[in-house]
C-alpha cells in the first residue's frame, strides 16, 4: 500500500491543477469573467507573446541545469514557468478555448513525473507498483470529485444542456459576441440562433460577410460550450489517466522481480506490450488521417492522443526499466533479439528522425549553450576531466552524439525522404480525393436520374476509385453514404434507411471486386523477381505474414491484416504471395462491420442536420470505427511477432521456390555493399551531402507545415479545409473553393510549400541517381568494401564446413539451420 506521504503528494499534484481548471475555466467558476475580459481587451497577440516567452523560459531552465539547482531556485523558476503558461493559455482562450484545460491536465503529468524523479525514486525504496498505484488512486479520486461537482451543479443549479442553459450562457458572454466579429457586434438572436437567415438582414450582406458571421458565431459558441463541459472533460481524462497508471503499476510488478531470469522474461513481455502500444497509437494516428474528411476536430484529437500515449509509454520505459536487465535481455530469447533489431533498423531510426524533425537541431544547440554555461562555473570545472571540460557538448550530449555518429546517415536520410514523400502524397491525395468526390456528388445529384440507377453508378465509381492506389477506402465509403443518403432523403426518394442500406451493400460488393482486381495486379507484378525481392518473399517477416494469410477461415491474425492493412498494398501483397482468392475474400468480409457500415452511416448523417443528436452520433461512430481499425493494426502486429517468435527457424529455412530471388540477391550483393559504403556520411562528397540533407530538410519542413495547418491552426495558410460534404462552388469562408478547384492551394504560401516539396523530391531523385553511378564506378574499379569480402569469405568457409559435416553426419538439423 502507498504511504500517507506518497498518497497525499500525488493527490495534491493531480487535484490542484484540476481544481484550478474547474474553478477558473468552467462555468461553475469564474470562466465567464476571464474570457469576457480577454475578449473585451482583444489580447490574442499578447497570448502569442506569452506562449513564446513560455518556450524561451523552458529553454532557459534546461540550459541552467534546473534539476541540479537548489530547491529555492527550482521553486521560484517553476512558479514563473507555470505563471507564464497560464497567462498564455488565458490570453489565447478565445481563439483556442481548450488550451487552459490542456495545460492544467498536462501539469498533473509533469508534477507526477517530478515526484518520481526527485522525491519518490526507485533507488530510495519506492517501487513502481507502489508509486503508480498511488497515482491511479489520486487520478480516480479527482475524477470522482470533478464528476460529482459537475453533477451537483447541473441538477442543483438547473444547468442541464437545454435551451434555457444556452440562453443563460449566451447572455453572460455578450462581451465576447461584441468583439468576436471584426466588422461589428453580434447579437445572438439576430445573427447566431438556429434557423436565422442572414440573407434577410438589413442592411443586406454579401456571401463573404455572411460566412464571416457564421464563423464568428461558431467560435463564440465553442467558448461557452467548452466552459459548460470542462468538469466532465476533466473527469473523463483523469479516469483515463487512472487506467494508464493502473496498467503501469501492474507492469512494474513484472519488471521489479528479484529473480534475474524472471526479470528478463518479464521485461521481454513488458517491452512487447510497449511495442504493441506504440503500434496501436501509430495505427490510431493513421486512422485520424483517414477520418479527417468526416470529422476534422476528431481527427486532430485522435492525432494528439496518439502522440501523448506514445510519449507516456516511452517516458515510462525510461523511468522504470532497469537498463542493465535490458542489456542482459539482448542475449536471451528470439523475441528480445527481434525487438532490438527493430529498434536499430534504419527504417525505425528514419521514422524517429522524421517525427522529431526540428527538435533535433534545437536540442543540440541548447546542449552546446548548456555546456558553455557549465564551463563558467568553477565548481563544475573541478569535477570534470580535461576532455569533458573542453568538449562543446555536455557528457550526456556527447554520448548521444557518439551514438548518432555510428548511424548510417545516408541510408537513414534516404528513408526520411521516402516517409516525407509518402506523407505528402497521402495528405494532398486525400484532399484531392474529397474534392473529386464532392464534385461527383454534385454531378450525380444534378442529373435527375432515378435513384436506383444512380446507386449503380456509385457502385462502378467505387470500383474505379478503389483501383487508384492513393485513394483510401474510407473516402469511397463516405462518398457512397453522402450521395445515396442525400438523394434517398429528398422528396420522392425511397427514404434515408434504404439509402444507407444500399450504400453499405454496393460499397461491400465494390470492395470485394476491387480486392480481386488489386490481387490480379499483384499477381502480375509478382512475376518479376525484382518485385519479389522488394517485398522480401524470402525474408522471415514476409513469410510470417504469408503463413497467417494462408490460414483458412476467420483467424484473428488474417482478418486483422486484411481489414486493418492499407487497401491497395494489402490486396497486392496477397497477389504477390499467391494467397487463395476465396479465402482472401472470406477474411476481408469483416470489413463490412468494422469500416463499411460505420463510414457509410457517417456519410449519410453528414448530409442531414449536423446539429444535436445526429452530429454526436456521427462523431461517435467515426471515433469507434477509427479505434477498431487501430486495434486491428495492433493485433496483426502482435500475430506477426508471435509467429516470428515461435516459427522463426522454420520460416528461415531454404525454399526452392525462392531460389531465383536468393540468386538475384546474391548477384546484387557486391553492388549493394558498394552502395552502402558510398552512402556512408563520411564517404560522401560535399555536393552529395548537400543534396541529400536538403531534400530531407525540405520534406520534413513541408510535412511539419501541412500537419500544423491541418491539425492545429484555426485558419489554414497552405491548404484549405475541405471535407467530402463541402461544395466547390461555395465561397471560401463557407468551406467551399469559390468555384475554382485550384484554390484548394492557398496563394502564396501553399504554392511555396508545394514548390519546396517538388524541389525536395527532385533532389532525392538526383541523389539516388548520383549514388547509383558512384556505386557502379566503385564496382567497376574493384573497390569492393573489405567488410563485405570478409563476410563473404566467412560464409564460404561456413558453407564448406556444412558440406563436410553433412558428409559425416556430425551436425543436427537445427545446427544446419543456424549455420
Amino acid at each position: 500500500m502507498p504511504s500517507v506521504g506518497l498518497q497525499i503528494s500525488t493527490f495534491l499534484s493531480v487535484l490542484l491543477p484540476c481544481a484550478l481548471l474547474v474553478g477558473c475555466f468552467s462555468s461553475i467558476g469564474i470562466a465567464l469573467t476571464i474570457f469576457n475580459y480577454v475578449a473585451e481587451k482583444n489580447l490574442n497577440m499578447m497570448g502569442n507573446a506569452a506562449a513564446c516567452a513560455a518556450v524561451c523560459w523552458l529553454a532557459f531552465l534546461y540550459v541552467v541545469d534546473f534539476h541540479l539547482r537548489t530547491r529555492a531556485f527550482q521553486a521560484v523558476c517553476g512558479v514563473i514557468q507555470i505563471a507564464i503558461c497560464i497567462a498564455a493559455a488565458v490570453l489565447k482562450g478565445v481563439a483556442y478555448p481548450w488550451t487552459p484545460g490542456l495545460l492544467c491536465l498536462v501539469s498533473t503529468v509533469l508534477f507526477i513525473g517530478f515526484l518520481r524523479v526527485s522525491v519518490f525514486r526507485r533507488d530510495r525504496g519506492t517501487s513502481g507498483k507502489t508509486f503508480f498505484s498511488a497515482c491511479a488512486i489520486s487520478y480516480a479520486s479527482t475524477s470522482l470529485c470533478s464528476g460529482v461537482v459537475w453533477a451537483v451543479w447541473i441538477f442543483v443549479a438547473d444547468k442541464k444542456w437545454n435551451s434555457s442553459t444556452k440562453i443563460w450562457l449566451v447572455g453572460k458572454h455578450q462581451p465576447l459576441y461584441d468583439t468576436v466579429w471584426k466588422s461589428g457586434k453580434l447579437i445572438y438572436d439576430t445573427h447566431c440562433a438556429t434557423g436565422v437567415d442572414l440573407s434577410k438582414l438589413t442592411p443586406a450582406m454579401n456571401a463573404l460577410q455572411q460566412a464571416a458571421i457564421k464563423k464568428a458565431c461558431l467560435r463564440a459558441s465553442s467558448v461557452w460550450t467548452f466552459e459548460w463541459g470542462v468538469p466532465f472533460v476533466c473527469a473523463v481524462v483523469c479516469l483515463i489517466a487512472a487506467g494508464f497508471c493502473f496498467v503501469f503499476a501492474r507492469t512494474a510488478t513484472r519488471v521489479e522481480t528479484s529473480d534475474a531470469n524472471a526479470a528478463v522474461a518479464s521485461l521481454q513481455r513488458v517491452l512487447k506490450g510497449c511495442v504493441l502500444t506504440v503500434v496501436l497509437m501509430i495505427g490510431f494516428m493513421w486512422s485520424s488521417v483517414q477520418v479527417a474528411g468526416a470529422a476534422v476536430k476528431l481527427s486532430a484529437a485522435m492525432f494528439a492522443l496518439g502522440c501523448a500515449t506514445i510519449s507516456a509509454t516511452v517516458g515510462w520505459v525510461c523511468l522504470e526499466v532497469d537498463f542493465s536487465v535490458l542489456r542482459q535481455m539482448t542475449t536471451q530469447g528470439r523475441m528480445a533479439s527481434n525487438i532490438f533489431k527493430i529498434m536499430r533498423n534504419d527504417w525505425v531510426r528514419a521514422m524517429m528522425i522524421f517525427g522529431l524533425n526540428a527538435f533535433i537541431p534545437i536540442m543540440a544547440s541548447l546542449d552546446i549553450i548548456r555546456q558553455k554555461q557549465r564551463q563558467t562555473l568553477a565548481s563544475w570545472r573541478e569535477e570534470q576531466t580535461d576532455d569533458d571540460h573542453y568538449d562543446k557538448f555536455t557528457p550526456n550530449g556527447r554520448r548521444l552524439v557518439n551514438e548518432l555518429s555510428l548511424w548510417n546517415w545516408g541510408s537513414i536520410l534516404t528513408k526520411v525522404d521516402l516517409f516525407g514523400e509518402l506523407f505528402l502524397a497521402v495528405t494532398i491525395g486525400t484532399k484531392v480525393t474529397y474534392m473529386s468526390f464532392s464534385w461527383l456528388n454534385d454531378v450525380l445529384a444534378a442529373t435527375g436520374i432515378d435513384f436506383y440507377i444512380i446507386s449503380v453508378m456509385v457502385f462502378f465509381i467505387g470500383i474505379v476509385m478503389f483501383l487508384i492506389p492513393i485513394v483510401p477506402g474510407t473516402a469511397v465509403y463516405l462518398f457512397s453514404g453522402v450521395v445515396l443518403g442525400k438523394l434517398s432523403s429528398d422528396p420522392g426518394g425511397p427514404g434515408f434507411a434504404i439509402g444507407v442500406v444500399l450504400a453499405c451493400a454496393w460499397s461491400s460488393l465494390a470492395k470485394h471486386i476491387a480486392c480481386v482486381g488489386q490481387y490480379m495486379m499483384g499477381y502480375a507484378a509478382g512475376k518479376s523477381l525484382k518485385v519479389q525481392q522488394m517485398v522480401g518473399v524470402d525474408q522471415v517477416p514476409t513469410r510470417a505474414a504469408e503463413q497467417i494469410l494462408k490460414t483458412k477461415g476467420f483467424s484473428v491474425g488474417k482478418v486483422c491484416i486484411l481489414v486493418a492493412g492499407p487497401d491497395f498494398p494489402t490486396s497486392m501483397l496477397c497477389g504477390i504471395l499467391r494467397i487463395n482468392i476465396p479465402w482472401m475474400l472470406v477474411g476481408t468480409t469483416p470489413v463490412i462491420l468494422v469500416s463499411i457500415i460505420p463510414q457509410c452511416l457517417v456519410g449519410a448523417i453528414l448530409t442531414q442536420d449536423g446539429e444535436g443528436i445526429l452530429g454526436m452520433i456521427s462523431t461517435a461512430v467515426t471515433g469507434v470505427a477509427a479505434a477498431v481499425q487501430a486495434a486491428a493494426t495492433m493485433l496483426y502486429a502482435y500475430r506477426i511477432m508471435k509467429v516470428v517468435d515461435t516459427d522463426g527457424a522454420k520460416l528461415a529455412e531454404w525454399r526452392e521456390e525462392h531460389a531465383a530471388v536468393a540468386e538475384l540477391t546474391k548477384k546484387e550483393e557486391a553492388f549493394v555493399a558498394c552502395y552502402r559504403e558510398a552512402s556512408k556520411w563520411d564517404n560522401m562528397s560535399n555536393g552529395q551531402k548537400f543534396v541529400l540533407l536538403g531534400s530531407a530538410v525540405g520534406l520534413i519542413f513541408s510535412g511539419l507545415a501541412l500537419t500544423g495547418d491541418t491539425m492545429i491552426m484555426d485558419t489554414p495558410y497552405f491548404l484549405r479545409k475541405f471535407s467530402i460534404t463541402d461544395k466547390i462552388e461555395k465561397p471560401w469562408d463557407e468551406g467551399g473553393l469559390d468555384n475554382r478547384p485550384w484554390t484548394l492551394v492557398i496563394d502564396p504560401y501553399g504554392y511555396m510549400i508545394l514548390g519546396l516539396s517538388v524541389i525536395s523530391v527532385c533532389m532525392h531523385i538526383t541523389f539516388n541517381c548520383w549514388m547509383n553511378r558512384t556505386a557502379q564506378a566503385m564496382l567497376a574499379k574493384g573497390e569492393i568494401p573489405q567488410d563485405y569480402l570478409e563476410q563473404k569469405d566467412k560464409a564460404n568457409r561456413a558453407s564448406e564446413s556444412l558440406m563436410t559435416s553433412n558428409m559425416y553426419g556430425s551436425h543436427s538439423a537445427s545446427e544446419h539451420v543456424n549455420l
Side-chain angles (χ1 to χ4, degrees):
M1 290 293 293
S3 65
V4 176
L6 171 60
Q7 192 62 72
I8 292 176
S9 299
T10 56
F11 182 66
L12 292 177
S13 297
V14 176
L15 179 64
L16 292 180
C18 291
L20 177 67
L21 174 60
V22 174
C24 296
F25 302 108
S26 76
S27 299
I28 299 176
I30 59 174
L32 304 174
T33 303
I34 291 176
F35 284 114
N36 283 336
Y37 178 81
V38 172
E40 285 179 335
K41 300 300 183 180
N42 197 13
L43 303 176
N44 187 58
M45 291 303 297
M46 289 184 63
N48 294 335
C52 293
V55 173
C56 293
W57 186 256
L58 187 64
F60 168 77
L61 296 182
Y62 174 81
V63 167
V64 298
D65 290 313
F66 171 79
H67 64 291
L68 300 177
R69 299 290 179 170
T70 62
R71 297 292 185 190
F73 180 86
Q74 291 177 349
V76 173
C77 292
V79 169
I80 294 175
Q81 180 69 55
I82 293 173
I84 297 175
C85 290
I86 292 176
V90 171
L91 296 174
K92 296 293 294 184
V94 174
Y96 303 101
W98 47 265
T99 49
L102 178 64
L103 173 64
C104 292
L105 295 172
V106 169
S107 297
T108 65
V109 179
L110 296 178
F111 291 155
I112 291 292
F114 176 77
L115 290 177
R116 183 56 171 163
V117 300
S118 62
V119 182
F120 301 101
R121 295 166 53 176
R122 185 174 55 190
D123 56 4
R124 295 180 181 176
T126 304
S127 66
K129 178 184 178 181
T130 302
F131 182 80
F132 285 105
S133 295
C135 294
I137 295 172
S138 299
Y139 273 114
S141 302
T142 304
S143 174
L144 180 62
C145 294
S146 182
V148 168
V149 168
W150 190 59
V152 169
W153 176 71
I154 283 179
F155 291 103
V156 173
D158 192 22
K159 298 302 180 184
K160 295 183 288 295
W161 189 252
N162 50 37
S163 57
S164 62
T165 301
K166 290 182 180 179
I167 292 172
W168 175 75
L169 288 169
V170 169
K172 292 292 185 179
H173 285 84
Q174 188 54 48
L176 178 61
Y177 282 95
D178 291 342
T179 58
V180 72
W181 185 37
K182 296 180 180 179
S183 300
K185 298 181 179 181
L186 297 179
I187 300 174
Y188 180 82
D189 292 334
T190 304
H191 300 94
C192 304
T194 303
V196 169
D197 188 355
L198 296 177
S199 63
K200 296 181 180 179
L201 293 179
T202 304
M205 297 182 179
N206 57 39
L208 291 178
Q209 289 175 318
Q210 295 176 31
I213 289 176
K214 290 180 180 179
K215 187 175 181 180
C217 291
L218 181 62
R219 172 173 290 186
S221 65
S222 66
V223 172
W224 49 257
T225 301
F226 180 80
E227 289 176 11
W228 179 83
V230 156
F232 175 74
V233 173
C234 180
V236 171
V237 172
C238 286
L239 190 61
I240 294 173
F244 272 102
C245 289
F246 176 76
V247 172
F248 288 158
R250 293 290 300 273
T251 306
T253 305
R254 302 174 185 175
V255 175
E256 294 170 345
T257 180
S258 57
D259 182 71
N261 294 328
V264 171
S266 298
L267 187 56
Q268 288 182 9
R269 293 193 295 270
V270 169
L271 286 184
K272 182 168 66 174
C274 292
V275 170
L276 292 175
T277 301
V278 172
V279 171
L280 172 64
M281 288 300 104
I282 291 175
F284 209 61
M285 294 162 71
W286 172 257
S287 299
S288 72
V289 177
Q290 302 298 309
V291 304
V296 176
K297 291 183 178 179
L298 175 64
S299 172
M302 290 169 56
F303 195 87
L305 176 62
C307 293
T309 304
I310 291 175
S311 300
T313 302
V314 174
W316 179 87
V317 170
C318 294
L319 283 175
E320 299 301 318
V321 171
D322 187 342
F323 284 88
S324 63
V325 179
L326 197 62
R327 286 189 290 270
Q328 181 184 354
M329 195 184 74
T330 59
T331 61
Q332 300 183 18
R334 182 183 295 273
M335 177 66 74
S337 177
N338 288 334
I339 290 176
F340 276 89
K341 285 180 181 178
I342 291 172
M343 298 305 297
R344 291 183 173 275
N345 186 276
D346 283 349
W347 285 102
V348 175
R349 289 171 171 174
M351 186 182 299
M352 182 181 67
I353 296 299
F354 185 75
L356 293 176
N357 50 71
F359 287 101
I360 296 175
I362 291 174
M363 294 305 298
S365 302
L366 290 177
D367 191 77
I368 293 174
I369 299 174
R370 190 185 205 182
Q371 178 72 348
K372 293 289 185 182
Q373 177 270 143
R374 288 180 176 181
Q375 290 171 348
T376 62
L377 302 177
S379 59
W380 181 85
R381 290 196 300 268
E382 295 174 358
E383 299 174 357
Q384 305 301 314
T385 64
D386 290 340
D387 291 339
D388 290 337
H389 175 66
Y390 292 106
D391 196 348
K392 67 177 181 180
F393 292 103
T394 64
N396 288 335
R398 172 53 61 187
R399 282 192 291 271
L400 181 58
V401 169
N402 291 339
E403 171 65 23
L404 295 178
S405 66
L406 301 176
W407 290 11
N408 187 344
W409 283 100
S411 172
I412 291 172
L413 291 179
T414 301
K415 293 172 175 60
V416 168
D417 285 346
L418 294 175
F419 279 124
E421 290 159 1
L422 175 62
F423 180 83
L424 291 173
V426 170
T427 302
I428 299 173
T430 301
K431 291 274 189 181
V432 174
T433 298
Y434 287 139
M435 184 177 66
S436 302
F437 277 142
S438 174
W439 173 76
L440 282 172
N441 182 20
D442 291 339
V443 170
L444 293 174
T447 57
I449 302 175
D450 181 74
F451 169 80
Y452 294 100
I453 297 177
I454 289 181
S455 70
V456 175
M457 296 172 65
V458 168
F459 162 69
F460 285 107
I461 291 173
I463 293 177
V464 173
M465 298 305 289
F466 266 122
L467 297 178
I468 300 176
I470 202 171
V471 176
T474 301
V476 179
Y477 309 144
L478 284 173
F479 169 70
S480 300
V482 167
V483 174
L484 300 183
K486 177 66 172 65
L487 294 178
S488 63
S489 302
D490 288 343
F496 182 78
I498 298 296
V500 173
V501 170
L502 274 178
C504 295
W506 284 129
S507 295
S508 302
L509 183 58
K511 167 66 177 176
H512 284 72
I513 293 175
C515 281
V516 177
Q518 294 161 351
Y519 178 98
M520 298 310 298
M521 292 181 184
Y523 189 91
K527 295 179 180 180
S528 167
L529 291 178
K530 196 64 182 176
V531 171
Q532 294 184 41
Q533 182 193 49
M534 181 181 66
V535 172
V537 295
D538 56 341
Q539 303 299 313
V540 171
T542 304
R543 288 180 174 180
E546 180 184 15
Q547 179 175 310
I548 296 172
L549 288 170
K550 286 187 175 179
T551 305
K552 296 182 179 180
F554 289 97
S555 70
V556 175
K558 172 184 174 181
V559 170
C560 288
I561 292 176
L562 294 174
V563 170
D567 298 88
F568 196 92
T570 302
S571 297
M572 279 200 69
L573 178 63
C574 290
I576 294 171
L577 299 178
R578 307 299 194 260
I579 305 299
N580 181 274
I581 293 179
W583 285 118
M584 178 193 71
L585 296 178
V586 168
T588 305
T589 300
V591 76
I592 298 174
L593 298 176
V594 173
S595 188
I596 294 178
I597 292 178
Q599 293 301 320
C600 287
L601 179 60
V602 167
I605 291 175
L606 289 174
T607 64
Q608 310 299 308
D609 183 8
E611 300 292 334
I613 189 65
L614 286 180
M616 295 172 60
I617 292 175
S618 172
T619 302
V621 170
T622 302
V624 170
V628 172
Q629 191 88 352
T633 303
M634 182 193 70
L635 285 174
Y636 86 65
Y638 169 76
R639 288 302 304 162
I640 290 178
M641 290 171 63
K642 187 71 174 176
V643 170
V644 171
D645 188 34
T646 56
D647 301 331
K650 180 181 177 181
L651 295 173
E653 292 178 355
W654 172 266
R655 294 186 184 180
E656 185 62 33
E657 66 266 27
H658 296 153
V661 178
E663 183 64 26
L664 176 63
T665 302
K666 187 176 181 180
K667 289 180 179 179
E668 295 178 348
E669 280 180 347
F671 172 79
V672 171
C674 291
Y675 188 96
R676 187 183 299 114
E677 185 70 17
S679 62
K680 289 182 178 179
W681 190 257
D682 292 338
N683 296 337
M684 287 192 290
S685 66
N686 291 333
Q688 291 170 336
K689 292 177 180 178
F690 173 79
V691 173
L692 178 59
L693 191 60
S695 64
V697 171
L699 288 169
I700 288 175
F701 181 81
S702 300
L704 185 63
L706 292 180
T707 299
D709 200 50
T710 303
M711 301 289 182
I712 300 175
M713 301 302 297
D714 184 51
T715 301
Y717 290 92
F718 308 113
L719 298 177
R720 300 189 192 279
K721 298 183 185 296
F722 194 89
S723 66
I724 199 167
T725 54
D726 290 329
K727 303 295 182 182
I728 296 176
E729 66 274 9
K730 284 190 175 182
W732 295 325
D733 290 336
E734 292 187 28
L737 298 177
D738 201 26
N739 211 24
R740 293 176 290 173
W742 59 89
T743 60
L744 177 70
V745 181
I746 300 176
D747 186 26
Y749 300 114
Y751 288 103
M752 293 170 62
I753 285 294
L754 290 185
L756 177 62
S757 303
V758 171
I759 293 173
S760 301
V761 171
C762 292
M763 293 175 73
H764 179 207
I765 295 173
T766 301
F767 175 80
N768 282 341
C769 295
W770 197 345
M771 295 308 300
N772 279 330
R773 289 199 300 269
T774 303
Q776 290 170 356
M778 290 177 61
L779 189 62
K781 295 177 182 179
E783 299 175 355
I784 301 177
Q786 186 64 31
D787 57 348
Y788 164 73
L789 296 175
E790 292 175 355
Q791 291 177 5
K792 187 175 181 179
D793 181 62
K794 183 178 179 180
N796 291 335
R797 284 188 278 107
S799 178
E800 292 174 0
S801 174
L802 179 61
M803 293 175 62
T804 304
S805 64
N806 285 340
M807 291 175 60
Y808 293 97
S810 61
H811 284 279
S812 64
S814 60
E815 290 172 320
H816 176 101
V817 172
N818 290 333
L819 287 172

